[in-house]
Amino acid sequence: DIVMTQSPDSLAVSLGERATINCKSSQSVLATSNNVNYLTWYQQKPGQPPKLLIHWASTREFGVPDRFSGSGSGTDFTLTISSLQAEDVAVYYCQQYYSTPLTFGGGTRVEIK
Amino acid sequence: EVQLVESGGAMVQPGGSLRLSCAASGFTFSSYAMNWVRQAPGKGLEWVSGIRGGGDGTSYADSVKGRFTISRDNSENTLFLQMNSLRGDDTAVYFCARSSDLQYYYYMDVWGKGTTVTVSS
């Protein structure tokens, strides 16, 4: 199974400042056949289901604000919130879909400083 | 409107069984693989199982293999999860989630609100 490790577990960022979340996979999720990373990011607010933010490591889902961006390749990935807004307070998860079982990172809680 | 609505969650004793359902609407159900994902109280997300759009392939997490069975009725636009030999660590909110593809489980672009399963004596 591919193990996904997120860091930090939590972070507090001032409104308008940048938040950076890291995700590392135990093996590469880059498919050499099509040079695509099988990595996605979700946002989960309290009492709600997860919401898809980014897929293929860097493709923003329709309707997701452009302050959210994903980057990285192979085993190391980053979710960046360029200017944190109050509504961004949530837990963020990465997930690999390179192979089954699909696996998630442990989550990163983002709060306002 | 694309929608997934789970039902069937309940409190059950250890060793018991439960069947979850997920009613889909607003999209061509048979064109998408579907998944169950669970979240234990205060914990992260765990993928439980997936099934291809045609129902011709399934996959399970090791933690539920041999105890849980995923199935679907494309004529009724409904996904199921039969859960047997339930244990305390199966206690969780169970989400139904649509995959972005017919054949592969990939990322999950539509989620239900979840149904709660509690395993306790």
Side-chain angles (χ1 to χ4, degrees):
Chain A
D1 298 3
I2 298 176
V3 177
M4 307 299 290
T5 303
Q6 285 184 234
S7 62
D9 292 337
S10 64
L11 74 160
V13 176
S14 300
L15 289 172
E17 295 301 304
R18 179 185 301 261
T20 302
I21 300 168
N22 300 301
C23 174
K24 189 174 183 67
S25 57
S26 61
Q27 63 189 74
S28 177
V29 298
L30 173 65
T32 53
S33 59
N34 56 7
N35 202 38
V36 172
N37 288 284
Y38 287 57
L39 189 285
T40 191
W41 290 95
Y42 301 96
Q43 174 193 66
Q44 187 179 32
K45 297 181 179 179
Q48 296 185 18
K51 174 189 173 184
L52 175 66
L53 292 179
I54 286 168
H55 48 93
W56 304 119
S58 60
T59 301
R60 221 175 1 252
E61 179 71 350
F62 180 78
V64 172
D66 60 7
R67 63 180 180 272
F68 291 92
S69 63
S71 62
S73 184
T75 61
D76 292 279
F77 300 91
T78 301
L79 174 69
T80 301
I81 310 172
S82 60
S83 175
L84 191 75
Q85 304 300 302
E87 60 265 32
D88 301 335
V89 169
V91 179
Y92 293 83
Y93 294 93
C94 60
Q95 176 227 315
Q96 66 80 21
Y97 46 100
Y98 183 85
S99 64
T100 53
L102 306 184
T103 47
F104 292 86
T108 296
R109 184 176 305 276
V110 175
E111 299 171 328
I112 304 295
K113 185 186 292 182
Chain B
E1 180 194 4
V2 174
Q3 196 171 13
L4 298 171
V5 179
E6 302 93 337
S7 60
M11 178 176 288
V12 61
Q13 291 188 337
S17 297
L18 210 55
R19 190 192 200 203
L20 305 184
S21 300
C22 171
S25 59
F27 64 98
T28 304
F29 183 65
S30 60
S31 294
Y32 294 88
M34 296 294 297
N35 305 271
W36 289 99
V37 176
R38 68 185 180 183
Q39 187 167 37
K43 302 298 184 183
L45 301 168
E46 180 188 16
W47 179 80
V48 171
S49 182
I51 185 168
R52 293 181 176 177
D56 56 336
T58 58
S59 186
Y60 297 90
D62 286 346
S63 58
V64 306
K65 204 173 291 184
R67 299 187 301 122
F68 290 11
T69 302
I70 191 171
S71 62
R72 63 192 297 162
D73 183 340
N74 285 346
S75 67
E76 295 291 332
N77 295 335
T78 304
L79 177 71
F80 302 101
L81 185 67
Q82 177 66 44
M83 303 187 295
N84 298 331
S85 303
L86 282 161
R87 312 186 302 221
D89 60 0
D90 295 318
T91 295
V93 174
Y94 284 73
F95 296 102
C96 165
R98 186 183 82 171
S99 279
S100 57
D101 188 83
L102 168 67
Q103 290 290 79
Y104 298 99
Y105 303 113
Y106 284 178
Y107 55 91
M108 290 164 274
D109 61 356
V110 180
W111 294 68
K113 289 181 166 50
T115 188
T116 300
V117 173
T118 304
V119 183
S120 176
S121 55

